[in-house]
Amino acid sequence: MLATINSATAQQIGVMLQNNSTLVHRMVPLIMKQYHVGENGYTFLLDEDGTILYHPNRNLVMRGWNDLVPEREGLKKLLDGIALIELNGQKQYIIVTRLPLTGWYVASALPEFEVLDQLRALSRTSLLSNLGAGIILLLLVTFLLNYMLKYIPIIIKQLHRIAEGQLTEFQMVPSHDEFGQISLAIREMAHKIQASIKLIHESAFYDALTGLPNRRFLDEKLTQALQDAKRLNGNFALIFIDLDNFKWINDTRGHKFGDELLRQICSRLIGIHRDGDMMFRFGGDEFVILLQHIGSKQELEHYVERLRTAFSSQVNLFSHSYYINFSAGVVMFPDDGATEEELLKNSDMAMYHAKALGKNRIQYFSSDMISTLLEKEKLTQELRNAVLNQSMTLQYQAIVDAQTSRLYGFEALLRWSHPELGPISPDQFIPLAEEVGLIVPLGEWVLREACRACRLLQDEYQPMSVSVNVSVLQLRSPSLIDAVKHALHESGIDPKHLVLEITEGIVIENFEQSVEALRQLRAIGVRLALDDFGTGYSSLGYLKKLPIDILKLDKVFIWDLDIQSSNSKQIVGPIIDLAHNLGLNIVAEGVETKDQAEMLRAWGCDLNQGYWYSKPVSFEEIKNLLQRF
Ligand code: C2E
Ligand code: MG
Ligand code: MG
């Protein structure tokens, strides 16, 4: 650093020089040498005229100031300041102080390069220290950030687990600060998601009414059962259950009743549940049981027996007791199907066979059911052709006054003669026509044809009525009213001469709707007959409510009337009375013998129909018949 000689030192030097002793002359250089200026700097002494009294370079002693300074910078001008001048051929910083007593000058000089070096060193030091401070600051910030953000990875992990669908067993942030709260909130959110998923799963895979797994669940379980059975060379069985007459129950008793019935069925099924079995609600009144561990056919039969027994006792519904009847189809893997679809389809097919055989039974699947189905498909196609080509015919059966044996009218009965199979019974092809949607056009054709025939007979002989059978699907079809009006209009017969026969089951299965349709028909002026009375529900309650005119007592009550042991005698008389009391005319169907006809006459029956009078015959034949009557 640039050091200066303070005034006290200068005074000291001045005093010593005034004394002018040799000691002083020797001392001055020693004193002056003490004042080091930096590494390369030095101090020198000049008298008031600028003559050099002391200089570390002895050669310069006694030389003048002007010899040192080429630019002849005045010594006085430099007093008490720092100047950069060229001194002795070198750029130097110089400080000049005047000694007060002698008027001499003390000058300190330091080469410029040293000053610059020092400045450079100084800035490097400050850079390093700045750098150091920066690093410390950086470390401090990093430490603080690390401390503050150390829980972020846990939170990210929690969120990742949620994204992957793992909603339990979280690692939680072990603190109560904001991070701890976020972590808790995430856990809470995961619990809520889990609850929602459970709810969605339940509504997607379980039936809300019975709580049983639904059809979707069955699909999954069936796939799994199939895979397991294939892998382990095992068996499993499916039982497809469909309630008998559930629709009727639902329509007549109401949906609340129907719902309760389904719940009762569910608890009956659960009552026979074994480990590994699963019960499903397949659809409305359809249930499926999956028996996963069935070792043999015997074991399956044993289970089926348990199922039968489970429904053998009555259920209590709204303080009444009822029997639940169902039809079921049973299949076993691998014998009855190789895929889920095949097994389900075959169990369904077996169930349909159970229905066709008269309901309320359990049917094991057999492969000839498939051939029956194929035959049915072929038959359907042929029936379709017959309807299209109008190759069907009508036969007519006389209906006779039971008291006088005079002709009252006739019933039109549809006939189909199959090109290969010959005549097919309407009991077979009418249900088929209903099933495949042919009954409405077919029924309309029958109506027109029967009315036309009636008109021809009326024109030729006497007023008479024609009875036409109407299917349930026709009754439900909005086109029936128009079809009836059209047939009446086209033939020109009086509406009172047209009797529409509706079977009991049809009406009761859809009571309210049927009653409304019947009222509309009656409003046209046609008369209505309840056909086959006694074979279905035979509910007297319904009989009272139905807008009908005629009751047709089924032939099951008639055919054995003349057999001694028969109890039909006790039934038919009271039914005739009952019909009369309800203001209805009664027709006895299937009268085959004279004795039967006699009995019915004696009991006051209104009309008879049966082979005793005439079999169903062609239009040509009925003309002959009319002449006979
Ligand atoms: P249904 O209306 O009860 O007709 C009476 C059935 O009893 C007829 O059978 C008739 O041939 C038969 N029958 C008449 N008298 C006697 C008898 O003394 N003894 C015996 N054993 N049977 C007798 P069919 O012609 O086979 O008709 C069966 C059923 O098919 C009919 O029963 C009716 O429900 C239905 N059907 C017939 N034609 C039509 C139609 O055009 N449309 C609709 N929807 N159904 C029809
Ligand atoms: Mg009939
Ligand atoms: Mg009948």
Side-chain angles (χ1 to χ4, degrees):
M1 287 297 285
L2 200 65
T4 56
I5 296 170
N6 61 26
S7 55
T9 316
Q11 249 173 344
Q12 194 188 347
I13 297 167
V15 169
M16 284 192 276
L17 289 173
Q18 266 182 340
N19 291 341
N20 205 15
S21 63
T22 28
L23 181 72
V24 171
H25 280 281
R26 278 200 203 135
M27 286 297 289
V28 169
L30 288 176
I31 292 169
M32 293 303 285
K33 270 180 191 163
Q34 284 176 33
Y35 298 100
H36 288 289
V37 183
E39 288 281 308
N40 305 294
Y42 54 91
T43 304
F44 59 98
L45 189 67
L46 303 111
D47 67 8
E48 67 269 22
D49 302 323
T51 309
I52 298 168
L53 298 175
Y54 168 76
H55 197 286
N57 181 355
R58 281 171 185 270
N59 298 329
L60 292 175
V61 176
M62 295 318 286
R63 303 271 295 271
W65 167 256
N66 291 340
D67 297 336
L68 293 179
V69 187
E71 286 148 21
R72 309 211 170 261
E73 197 76 51
L75 194 58
K76 283 183 192 161
K77 255 174 99 183
L78 300 174
L79 266 178
D80 301 325
I82 299 176
L84 179 66
I85 56 169
E86 193 170 318
L87 192 66
N88 207 17
Q90 188 182 40
K91 282 253 182 192
Q92 306 202 18
Y93 283 98
I94 187 153
I95 298 172
V96 180
T97 313
R98 194 166 196 178
L99 300 175
L101 293 174
T102 55
W104 292 355
Y105 300 94
V106 177
S108 297
L110 188 66
E112 185 192 24
F113 71 85
E114 190 177 329
V115 174
L116 289 179
D117 281 354
Q118 295 229 5
L119 277 174
R120 265 187 220 112
L122 185 70
S123 63
R124 203 179 306 128
T125 317
S126 92
L127 187 73
L128 281 175
S129 62
N130 278 346
L131 210 65
I135 288 167
I136 289 168
L137 199 68
L138 207 65
L139 287 173
L140 199 69
V141 169
T142 313
F143 172 77
L144 273 173
L145 278 176
N146 272 346
Y147 178 78
M148 281 168 66
L149 304 180
K150 70 178 166 191
Y151 296 131
I152 293 287
I154 298 181
I155 289 172
I156 291 174
K157 212 165 148 191
Q158 275 184 308
L159 291 171
H160 270 302
R161 278 179 70 92
I162 292 181
E164 284 159 11
Q166 293 167 338
L167 301 168
T168 50
E169 291 163 33
F170 286 119
Q171 183 193 353
M172 299 297 293
V173 169
S175 77
H176 298 289
D177 57 9
E178 283 81 354
F179 290 108
Q181 285 168 22
I182 292 173
S183 179
L184 276 174
I186 291 174
R187 188 174 64 178
E188 211 165 291
M189 179 176 83
H191 286 170
K192 282 187 181 155
I193 294 174
Q194 200 183 16
S196 309
I197 288 174
K198 198 172 159 228
L199 210 72
I200 292 166
H201 184 269
E202 270 171 10
S203 52
F205 288 95
Y206 289 86
D207 166 49
L209 179 73
T210 58
L212 284 181
N214 62 14
R215 187 179 182 159
R216 253 176 99 180
F217 206 161
L218 171 68
D219 288 344
E220 284 193 6
K221 281 283 156 190
L222 200 53
T223 308
Q224 204 180 316
L226 200 74
Q227 281 168 357
D228 291 350
K230 277 179 182 165
R231 190 164 40 87
L232 304 167
N233 249 344
N235 294 330
F236 70 88
L238 268 189
I239 304 179
F240 197 107
I241 297 172
D242 187 288
L243 302 187
D244 294 337
N245 310 323
F246 179 72
K247 197 173 159 22
W248 174 70
I249 294 167
N250 226 6
D251 286 350
T252 53
R253 306 260 160 184
H255 289 263
K256 210 172 141 201
F257 190 95
D259 285 355
E260 190 47 40
L261 181 75
L262 291 171
R263 280 194 210 102
Q264 293 269 358
I265 287 157
C266 168
S267 56
R268 287 275 160 119
L269 289 178
I270 288 169
I272 55 164
H273 178 268
R274 312 167 314 164
D275 264 3
D277 296 350
M278 278 197 87
M279 277 111 182
F280 304 85
R281 185 172 174 208
F282 193 75
D285 61 343
E286 295 164 332
F287 295 84
V288 170
I289 305 176
L290 171 64
L291 303 171
Q292 269 177 296
H293 308 295
I294 283 288
S296 63
K297 195 99 185 182
Q298 283 73 21
E299 203 185 318
L300 179 59
E301 280 165 2
H302 180 68
Y303 185 89
V304 166
E305 218 28 66
R306 284 183 64 203
L307 180 64
R308 235 190 279 270
T309 322
F311 286 88
S312 61
S313 61
Q314 291 176 307
V315 294
N316 289 317
L317 283 172
F318 302 104
S319 67
H320 284 91
S321 301
Y322 301 88
Y323 281 107
I324 300 174
N325 290 342
F326 68 88
S327 304
V330 186
V331 289
M332 200 159 164
F333 176 82
D335 297 356
D336 302 328
T339 64
E340 297 95 315
E341 296 80 37
E342 209 179 338
L343 286 162
L344 256 179
K345 194 188 77 199
N346 291 349
S347 66
D348 191 33
M349 197 188 290
M351 185 277 290
Y352 266 100
H353 271 257
K355 293 256 185 211
L357 290 171
K359 299 184 178 177
N360 195 21
R361 64 187 67 215
I362 300 172
Q363 186 72 35
Y364 289 86
F365 172 78
S366 78
S367 52
D368 26 292
M369 286 176 184
I370 297 179
S371 51
T372 315
L373 192 80
L374 291 176
E375 279 166 23
K376 191 176 157 189
E377 268 170 27
K378 189 168 173 262
L379 203 66
T380 305
Q381 193 47 47
E382 285 157 352
L383 180 67
R384 216 178 283 279
N385 293 340
V387 175
L388 267 175
N389 306 333
Q390 301 197 341
S391 61
M392 290 180 152
T393 53
L394 285 185
Q395 282 197 334
Y396 303 90
Q397 187 178 30
I399 298 174
V400 175
D401 188 316
Q403 302 302 319
T404 63
S405 292
R406 289 170 68 154
L407 183 87
Y408 172 82
F410 50 88
E411 179 176 359
L413 294 161
L414 192 56
R415 295 290 176 257
W416 179 28
S417 186
H418 188 276
E420 293 155 34
L421 303 170
I424 296 180
S425 159
D427 287 327
Q428 275 180 280
F429 72 78
I430 294 286
L432 185 63
E434 285 175 339
E435 201 183 314
V436 298
L438 285 170
I439 195 66
V440 172
L442 188 58
E444 287 178 3
W445 177 80
V446 173
L447 254 174
R448 289 213 314 275
E449 222 21 54
C451 288
R452 198 173 61 87
C454 182
R455 177 60 197 258
L456 289 174
L457 294 174
Q458 279 183 355
D459 285 350
E460 208 163 325
Y461 303 97
Q462 59 181 73
M464 64 182 84
S465 69
V466 60
S467 298
V468 175
N469 294 287
V470 170
S471 145
V472 60
L473 297 180
Q474 281 178 276
L475 198 65
R476 283 186 205 152
S477 155
S479 68
L480 180 64
I481 303 283
D482 283 344
V484 170
K485 283 182 183 167
H486 182 69
L488 288 172
H489 178 76
E490 200 180 57
S491 62
I493 63 166
D494 190 324
K496 73 172 187 221
H497 285 133
L498 176 62
V499 178
L500 299 179
E501 296 191 2
I502 293 114
T503 55
E504 197 186 4
I506 293 175
V507 174
I508 290 172
E509 267 176 29
N510 226 319
F511 192 71
E512 298 301 329
Q513 206 186 336
S514 301
V515 167
E516 185 47 38
L518 294 177
R519 281 212 184 95
Q520 289 179 20
L521 286 170
R522 241 185 163 195
I524 302 173
V526 300
R527 288 182 303 144
L528 303 172
L530 190 65
D531 205 353
D532 303 340
F533 183 76
T535 53
Y537 304 99
S538 308
S539 163
L540 300 178
Y542 291 120
L543 209 54
K544 237 170 74 182
K545 289 183 199 159
L546 281 173
I548 51 163
D549 308 278
I550 300 162
L551 193 68
K552 290 190 85 171
L553 188 57
D554 194 80
K555 47 185 173 287
V556 292
F557 297 108
I558 311 299
W559 74 272
D560 60 350
L561 272 183
D562 44 4
I563 294 172
Q564 266 308 316
S565 56
S566 150
N567 57 7
S568 293
K569 281 193 246 3
Q570 281 80 48
I571 299 170
V572 176
I575 293 180
I576 292 172
D577 291 342
L578 177 95
H580 287 158
N581 287 339
L582 289 170
L584 304 173
N585 280 331
I586 187 152
V587 181
E589 290 184 301
V591 182
E592 291 186 359
T593 65
K594 190 177 177 215
D595 287 349
Q596 290 165 0
E598 277 303 314
M599 280 183 206
L600 289 160
R601 192 187 56 78
W603 286 323
C605 188
D606 302 304
L607 300 162
N608 285 349
Q609 179 182 354
Y611 296 168
W612 172 246
Y613 303 97
S614 163
K615 286 198 168 185
V617 290
S618 68
F619 182 72
E620 289 310 313
E621 283 172 290
I622 203 162
K623 282 198 213 160
N624 302 334
L625 201 81
L626 278 166
Q627 277 162 0
R628 214 180 74 204
F629 276 101

